[in-house]
Amino acid sequence: LYRSPDLVHWEYLNPILVGDEDQAGPIWTGTMWECPDFFSLGDKHVLVVSAHERRPLYTVYFVGTYADHRFPPKVLGKLDFGDTLFYAPQTFLDDKGRRIMFGWINEGRSDEAQRAAGWAGVMSLPRVLSLRPDGLLGAEPVPEVEVLRGEHYRLTGIVLAPASSGALEDVRGACLEIVAEFEPGDAKQVGVKVRCSPDGEEQTCIVYDRLARRLVLNRERSSLSPEVDRGVYEGPLDLADGERLRLHVFLDRSVVEICANGRACLTSRIYPSLPDSLGVHLFAHGGSANLASLDVWEMGSIWVARPPRPYQVPAR
């Protein structure tokens, strides 16, 4: 930490925070931090850094009280369970006083596949950050993205059993917003499958493991292409007694962004190779669950065609 009266002459004060050279807990912060972002949130301060020392890379956040030019954190967490696939995020304060975050969604395919596609990487949807009563960092997609909603499909009060197919015949697409609320019941696992081919050869599974209390994105069958990563990502999601599972999912072709119960985010990339991998399925394994509600919207493009502006000769 440095300070300056004029942005020319600087005085060194002290380190605001030092990472762990040796892993002392479930999240190792490391000693090489990229893209730090330090800001106030509520009555606390938050430091976000991207740990660039071990593979996979990931982003962590610290929550604490900043005083006397030091920041002793009380809370440490992973910002997104997608690790490298949500990296180097930065925030800003908007005119409504909200702390808004964008992240960089990295690639999950080979360099050759990226060169063949002609592009690499994309920015995430903006998220509104908040401090939760338990001290953890909360995140939700900004409500402004609702302007992209198109055709709407709704379903309520459905019992999901292990033997049921769960296929939603009227829901298909590569660009969808999905909000699903489940009462997990006695099911061991419950969730949504997206980008499913009719024969199930390709599918991506968004799973809540009730026994392990984990949010999981299983990409093992997400693509038949040998050029893409098909690993599994997961992180803790501990539901309180009687709390419903709420999955807010955005599909944007190769991008999957998941926000569960406003506090667990998981971002990843998938690359289905079959043109008909567009289906959506609901499922429950190891018991029955209740689908309280399901809302699905087709997502429109952010690019709005505008007529060309006539050229005007500058005034001399």
Side-chain angles (χ1 to χ4, degrees):
L1 183 65
Y2 292 79
R3 67 180 176 186
S4 170
D6 55 10
L7 303 184
V8 175
H9 304 91
W10 292 88
E11 175 191 1
Y12 171 70
L13 298 177
N14 52 257
I16 191 172
L17 186 64
V18 178
D20 296 326
E21 186 173 0
D22 299 315
Q23 184 167 352
I27 302 176
W28 183 66
T29 61
T31 58
M32 167 56 183
W33 289 351
E34 290 194 303
C35 306
D37 192 6
F38 186 59
F39 51 88
S40 62
L41 192 62
D43 61 350
K44 302 292 183 181
H45 274 74
V46 178
L47 174 64
V48 175
V49 297
S50 295
H52 191 286
E53 201 157 3
R54 289 184 180 177
R55 295 294 190 273
L57 312 180
Y58 50 85
T59 302
V60 299
Y61 68 87
F62 304 86
V63 180
T65 300
Y66 175 67
D68 299 325
H69 306 302
R70 295 189 183 274
F71 178 65
K74 300 297 183 182
V75 174
L76 168 64
K78 264 192 178 183
L79 193 66
D80 192 289
F81 302 143
D83 291 342
T84 312
L85 295 170
F86 185 90
Y87 197 72
Q90 294 290 287
T91 70
F92 64 89
L93 197 66
D94 76 353
D95 58 0
K96 299 178 182 178
R98 301 178 300 178
R99 179 60 57 173
I100 308 295
M101 169 178 283
F102 284 88
W104 168 38
I105 303 178
N106 207 339
E107 287 292 332
R109 52 185 170 178
S110 68
D111 291 344
E112 291 76 11
Q114 294 175 45
R115 284 192 287 268
W119 65 281
V122 67
M123 301 307 294
S124 74
L125 289 174
R127 301 175 184 179
V128 182
L129 303 185
S130 63
L131 280 183
R132 295 175 46 80
D134 57 9
L136 298 177
L137 194 63
E140 292 275 13
V142 296
E144 284 85 346
V145 299
E146 294 175 6
V147 301
L148 301 179
R149 289 175 174 176
E151 187 173 345
H152 180 215
Y153 174 87
R154 181 169 175 80
L155 189 64
T156 60
I158 302 297
V159 175
L160 301 173
S164 58
S165 69
L168 302 176
E169 300 297 337
D170 298 327
V171 179
R172 293 171 60 79
C175 299
L176 300 174
E177 179 185 358
I178 302 170
V179 180
E181 289 200 11
F182 299 91
E183 296 168 353
D186 63 355
K188 294 180 180 178
Q189 295 182 336
V190 64
V192 183
K193 297 178 182 179
V194 297
R195 301 300 306 271
C196 303
S197 61
D199 58 3
E201 196 171 13
E202 287 188 338
Q203 56 181 267
T204 298
C205 298
I206 302 165
V207 185
Y208 177 63
D209 190 318
R210 184 179 62 86
L211 299 183
R213 298 179 180 270
R214 308 280 286 180
L215 176 68
V216 182
L217 181 67
N218 189 326
R219 304 181 301 161
E220 292 175 321
R221 296 165 63 184
S222 64
S223 177
L224 300 179
S225 171
E227 298 294 321
V228 306
D229 178 20
R230 292 186 293 273
V232 177
Y233 286 99
E234 60 181 277
L237 177 59
D238 194 357
L239 298 183
D241 292 341
E243 183 181 7
R244 289 178 174 177
L245 170 68
R246 186 177 190 272
L247 296 177
H248 197 167
V249 181
F250 290 89
L251 297 181
D252 187 4
R253 303 189 188 277
S254 66
V255 173
V256 182
E257 292 192 65
I258 307 165
C259 182
N261 292 70
R263 61 182 183 269
C265 295
L266 200 164
T267 303
S268 192
R269 301 292 295 274
I270 56 174
Y271 306 89
S273 61
L274 302 176
D276 56 355
S277 292
L278 301 170
V280 178
H281 295 209
L282 306 173
F283 67 88
H285 296 156
S288 297
N290 180 56
L291 175 71
S293 64
L294 173 73
D295 289 280
V296 182
W297 293 269
E298 293 182 0
M299 293 288 287
S301 172
I302 66 168
W303 303 108
V304 179
R306 295 182 175 90
R309 298 176 60 184
Y311 176 75
Q312 294 181 344
V313 177
R316 295 185 181 272

